[in-house]
Amino acid sequence: MSTFHLAHLNIGRIRAPMDSPELAEFAAALDPINALADAAPGFVWRLQDESGNATDIKVYDDDLLLVNMSVWESVDALYDYVYRTAHREYLARRREWFDKMDELYVVMWWVPVGHIPTVEEAKAKLELLREQGPTDEAFTFRTRFPAPQAEGSAAT
């Protein structure tokens, strides 16, 4: 059993305020898509406020920049949720609701089991990825790194 979980951050700049007609369909999908994540195999935790989502949590100085942060048991568990559930249908429509990002906007990194990452930690990981490219400290689905070996365990 791994002693590490996968932390994940993605950011996106919405095309209009959350309460606008342009984002009504996206906003209506938040609760069911979040419930799907919460029930997904390998899900551990996600950033949320009292409303059950993170749309009101401001991590950057841009009111239209949304953040999604979560922890999963493995890269495969996150991948399966993102690309093999109903989430994929909404992901395919992201350009309807989000501006195209010119720089990297998704980062993953390993955290010890039980650790809940802070938004400051997540921002630092995204910045590290942007500056250095994928490393074992900050990576992407395209360029993955295995979880660190637990101290005292043999490499397999």
Side-chain angles (χ1 to χ4, degrees):
M1 173 174 258
S2 177
T3 57
F4 288 88
H5 282 160
L6 182 81
H8 153 265
L9 168 78
N10 74 67
I11 60 172
R13 189 170 195 283
I14 50 178
R15 294 179 173 267
M18 278 300 297
D19 60 355
S20 68
E22 295 89 347
L23 260 33
E25 195 173 353
F26 172 77
L30 284 173
D31 287 343
I33 292 298
N34 285 336
L36 184 65
D38 293 347
F43 171 82
V44 175
W45 170 88
R46 68 182 167 84
L47 180 67
Q48 60 183 300
D49 62 17
E50 315 77 50
S51 71
N53 65 59
T55 57
D56 289 332
I57 298 174
K58 300 302 171 209
V59 176
Y60 294 91
D61 290 333
D62 181 344
D63 288 341
L64 297 180
L65 198 61
L66 299 186
V67 61
N68 179 16
M69 192 163 82
S70 56
V71 175
W72 295 79
E73 290 178 357
S74 68
V75 175
D76 290 340
L78 175 58
Y79 185 91
D80 287 347
Y81 165 71
V82 171
Y83 295 107
R84 295 185 177 140
T85 68
H87 176 271
R88 181 180 180 181
E89 298 166 25
Y90 290 93
L91 183 62
R93 298 178 60 197
R94 68 185 174 270
R95 295 289 176 250
E96 294 177 35
W97 305 304
F98 290 86
D99 290 336
K100 184 177 187 322
M101 299 288 286
D102 291 329
E103 51 189 349
L104 293 171
Y105 55 92
V106 176
V107 64
M108 295 180 277
W109 69 101
W110 296 106
V111 296
V113 168
H115 174 75
I116 300 299
T118 65
V119 292
E120 292 78 18
E121 177 183 350
K123 286 172 63 174
K125 294 295 185 178
L126 182 58
E127 195 57 37
L128 179 67
L129 178 65
R130 287 174 174 174
E131 291 172 0
Q132 297 183 12
T135 67
D136 61 349
E137 294 293 319
F139 52 93
T140 64
F141 277 131
R142 181 171 287 166
T143 306
R144 304 174 186 191
F145 288 82
Q149 292 291 318
E151 288 187 34
S153 69
T156 55

